[in-house]
Amino acid sequence: MAFFFLLFKQFPFFTAIRILCVESMRRLFDRHAELGYAAGGEDRLVASFFAKPGFYVDVGCNHPSSYSNTFMLYKRGWHGINIDANADLIALHQRIKPRDQSIFAAIAQCRKTLTYTQFEGGTLMASLDPAFVRANLAQGQRIRFESALETKTLTEVLEQSHAPARFELLNVDVEGLDLEVLQSLDFARFRPHMIIVEI
């Protein structure tokens, strides 16, 4: 019963109904099954490493639940900061994960103007990295839209968001600029216990 009330307190109504249906099926068919949302089980690894809920920073957060390294953590009481250069996805995060701060921003090593490119298709593939864009175009991907964005450093965004100096998880998945995102963080000012980064 506590799970039921927590679910509806934590999520918007229809999201809570969806999660409740999935959780009911899991309990009915395999109580010991562990549900995860990440592509490679990263969320389950993080959950096993930390004994209690913590704070995450998710750069290139993309969709709130599909292939998400933080959605299962959110369900377990974690909260944090979601950052993405796609305003529509940030709006979706604000609806589905209301305890989090969800910030529309493009992150790079220093302030500059970059072209944000989103590709067509069912995936939400997008990048600020010209080399990544060229490689995808060479593989036959088509551009859905492009826009010029002024970047910020991760340190700037975390300072403006009043993030804690020490936090549990930094998740970085920005399709090509992952190293720049890490280089944009002042590790003397902000120190994550664990970092997940796409290579």
Side-chain angles (χ1 to χ4, degrees):
M1 203 60 152
F3 169 77
F4 181 83
F5 288 116
L6 179 63
L7 192 63
F8 283 89
K9 181 178 178 185
Q10 207 170 267
F11 293 102
F13 181 77
F14 288 109
T15 302
I17 292 291
R18 183 172 59 93
I19 293 170
L20 184 62
C21 290
V22 171
E23 183 61 22
S24 299
M25 296 299 282
R26 183 190 71 81
R27 289 182 183 195
L28 178 66
F29 290 107
D30 188 353
R31 272 192 168 293
H32 305 290
E34 184 69 41
L35 298 178
Y37 295 85
E42 298 89 342
D43 53 353
R44 294 191 304 275
L45 176 67
V46 173
S48 70
F49 189 81
F50 295 102
K52 59 184 181 179
F55 190 93
Y56 53 75
V57 175
D58 194 352
V59 185
C61 56
N62 207 288
H63 192 277
S65 59
S66 291
Y67 300 107
S68 171
N69 290 347
T70 59
F71 187 65
M72 184 184 82
L73 302 174
Y74 183 88
K75 283 174 55 179
R76 292 184 175 196
W78 288 56
H79 69 285
I81 298 171
N82 307 299
I83 304 166
D84 204 280
N86 183 324
D88 294 336
L89 290 173
I90 289 300
L92 195 56
H93 273 271
Q94 289 168 341
R95 265 199 336 270
I96 292 178
K97 296 166 76 179
R99 286 196 326 271
D100 285 355
Q101 289 185 67
S102 296
I103 299 164
F104 170 63
I107 306 296
Q109 188 175 3
C110 59
R111 280 189 171 264
K112 55 188 168 184
T113 302
L114 292 175
T115 301
Y116 171 78
T117 303
Q118 185 172 341
F119 295 98
E120 288 182 349
T123 67
L124 294 169
M125 182 73 72
S127 181
L128 292 159
D129 180 18
F132 183 91
V133 171
R134 283 193 301 274
N136 276 270
L137 291 174
Q139 293 175 4
Q141 292 273 358
R142 293 185 179 169
I143 294 173
R144 182 175 169 208
F145 74 86
E146 292 182 310
S147 63
L149 294 178
E150 184 73 26
T151 66
K152 295 180 176 182
T153 68
L154 184 53
T155 300
E156 284 179 272
V157 172
L158 296 186
E159 285 175 343
Q160 291 166 2
S161 306
H162 307 290
R166 301 288 182 265
F167 57 93
E168 283 66 33
L169 176 65
L170 171 60
N171 185 69
V172 180
D173 184 356
V174 294
E175 312 302 345
L177 290 185
D178 306 274
L179 179 58
E180 277 209 39
V181 169
L182 293 176
Q183 291 170 329
S184 80
L185 182 62
D186 179 356
F187 283 93
R189 171 75 179 84
F190 295 102
R191 183 60 66 113
H193 290 281
M194 180 184 286
I195 299 173
I196 298 175
V197 61
E198 183 180 64
I199 298 175

